[in-house]
Amino acid sequence: MRLTRQTNYAMRILMYCAANTDRLSRIPEIAAAYSVSELFLFKILQPLVEHGLVETVRGRNGGVRLGRAAESISLFDVVRVTEESFAMAECFENDAAECPLVDSCALNSALREALNAFFAVLERYTIADLVAARPNVRSLLGIDMLVERRAPAA
């Protein structure tokens, strides 16, 4: 199974926001940190906002922030919002091809078990876990440099 690019960057947006808790995150800054287009991130943002994973603040000083604590956003929450299908084989789909084994297929059973194990692992990890795994994540994403540039001169 391969996750989409949308899911990958949805997790990255959430990680950026989790690492940047002292202020709102701006899409241009996130796009620059990950070297992707702002338009691409805006498209990904919509389902995250709709499902309460991210909040947007409009206005001149607006931006985005996590919709709830990073500790309460599992990787499975993100995957469930961003992935369209979890059909690992044709027989997982509603309009499956005719197969004489469809109701008692060992392959279908094994794949379903594997998919459930995959979901269980994603459920165990949170956005907070990903950020905590790299203590220097703020520096790697350039957040510390942005904060230093905005600090008033003494």
Side-chain angles (χ1 to χ4, degrees), residues 2 11 29 49 58-59 65 67-68 101-102 107 116-117 120 122 128 133 135 146:
R2 181 182 177 114
M11 289 185 192
E29 296 167 357
V49 171
R58 296 189 184 273
R65 64 179 168 225
R68 57 185 203 237
L101 301 176
V102 76
L107 174 61
N116 289 336
L122 292 178
L146 291 170

Side-chain angles (χ1 to χ4, degrees), residues 4-5 20-21 37 51 55 59 67 70 76 86 96 104 114-116 121 125-126 145:
T4 62
R5 190 168 180 240
N20 190 28
T21 57
S37 80
H51 289 88
E55 294 177 342
F76 181 64
F86 297 106
S104 61
L115 185 60
N116 289 336
V121 170
Y125 291 90
T126 67
M145 288 180 13

